[in-house]
Amino acid sequence: MAGMFELFADSDASFRFQLTAPDGTVMALSRPFPDKRAAVAGIAAVREYAGMGFVTEVPAPKPGRVSAAARAVRGRAAVRKGQILLRWRQSLRRPAAVADFPAW
């Protein structure tokens, strides 16, 4: 007996599908789709691509080693965090009061 695709709306009002084994075990869960038509197209794509798909093993990253892409993302995130903190600190500063200005 073959598995079954189940199409449903999730809590975010997006459409998803899951592939369920004959015994009821969920074997795969899709990404969210904006509408039902896109989710049905996703099911068709899975049927087409997964039929005789190759199986490859992706090795786990070695401890302490970070890819160049991960370093770049981490660097951009650190810069953005610094910019946000700087703006926050600037917003906490007390604006100059009228009494702080020299008298003419």
Side-chain angles (χ1 to χ4, degrees):
M1 178 184 229
M4 178 174 37
F5 286 97
E6 297 175 348
L7 181 63
F8 62 94
D10 65 6
S11 60
D12 296 331
S14 297
F15 287 90
R16 291 180 181 260
F17 63 86
Q18 61 189 20
L19 176 60
T20 307
D23 65 354
T25 304
V26 175
M27 302 302 293
L29 178 65
S30 74
R31 65 175 180 84
F33 290 92
D35 56 16
K36 188 184 281 189
R37 183 181 303 236
V40 170
I43 291 171
V46 168
R47 285 180 171 163
E48 180 182 344
Y49 300 137
M52 295 300 291
F54 293 110
V55 176
T56 60
E57 182 177 358
V58 179
K62 296 179 182 175
R65 300 207 47 165
V66 180
S67 70
R71 280 194 303 272
V73 168
R74 193 178 302 161
R76 286 192 300 268
V79 168
R80 181 70 181 137
K81 181 179 177 183
Q83 292 170 342
I84 291 170
L85 287 174
L86 177 64
R87 288 186 187 138
W88 177 70
R89 286 186 196 118
Q90 289 172 344
S91 72
L92 294 178
R93 292 186 184 150
R94 184 176 63 94
V98 176
D100 293 343
F101 290 104
W104 292 94

